[in-house]
Amino acid sequence: MSGTSGSVAVATPDGEYEVLCDDTGAFLRRYSTEAGATVVTDTELDGTTAYTPTGAVVRCDSQEPPAPNPLIDSTIQRQTGTGTVTIEAGARSVTLVVYAGEPTVTIGDGPAVPLAPGTSLTWSVDRGGPTGEQLQDAFVFTGVTGSDFLVTSTCEV
């Protein structure tokens, strides 16, 4: 046809992946569609080695008992000018907002990293409770002349 143009895309298989567990551990399940039918392929976690599940197949996190509702302690501190705010190792979350100046953050034994005004950062974990998930490093936020920043944190008590 004169004066028309266009493009044609060839449909490709759509794959979705999920990590599942059976009686022997974790494996990867891929769901794809081929010729309109759903195809299920199980592999080891490398994504290529064929795998045959043993026993019941469940979501891996369903094998862990639910964490109790722990008590959570929250802190908030605004630092203006020189000074430090330290969040000890073991927090569940740490959030920083820099309003002015260039304070630094040191995580664990790492180097001090300068942060520009407008920076907003958060570190957190999904699960606490008996599994013990927590941030393993201490955070030290150091203000310099002209700094203005806010640090909030949560931890289990």
Side-chain angles (χ1 to χ4, degrees):
M1 290 196 291
S2 176
T4 62
S5 65
S7 63
V8 176
V10 176
T12 58
D14 178 28
E16 300 292 330
Y17 297 87
E18 184 173 21
V19 176
L20 297 172
C21 286
D22 64 6
D23 291 346
T24 60
F27 65 95
L28 186 64
R29 176 165 284 173
R30 182 181 74 219
Y31 302 92
S32 58
T33 54
E34 294 178 15
T38 300
V39 177
V40 176
T41 306
D42 294 329
T43 65
E44 291 186 13
L45 294 176
D46 65 10
T48 58
T49 305
Y51 184 82
T52 302
T54 303
V57 174
V58 297
R59 291 177 50 107
C60 294
D61 59 2
S62 70
Q63 293 180 333
E64 298 177 26
N69 293 327
L71 294 175
I72 303 294
D73 184 31
S74 302
T75 64
I76 185 167
Q77 183 173 343
R78 188 166 189 168
Q79 177 66 44
T80 56
T82 60
T84 61
V85 176
T86 300
I87 306 298
E88 297 298 332
R92 290 216 20 208
S93 69
V94 177
T95 298
L96 163 78
V97 178
V98 179
Y99 299 112
E102 290 194 7
T104 62
V105 60
T106 303
I107 302 173
D109 295 329
V113 177
L115 304 166
T119 298
S120 175
L121 300 170
T122 298
W123 300 263
S124 64
V125 296
D126 290 336
R127 261 178 92 111
T131 60
E133 191 172 285
Q134 57 187 310
L135 297 171
Q136 69 179 8
D137 294 313
F139 292 75
V140 179
F141 302 93
T142 304
V144 295
T145 301
S147 291
D148 184 4
F149 60 94
L150 186 71
V151 177
T152 61
S153 69
T154 61
C155 66
E156 289 185 30
V157 291

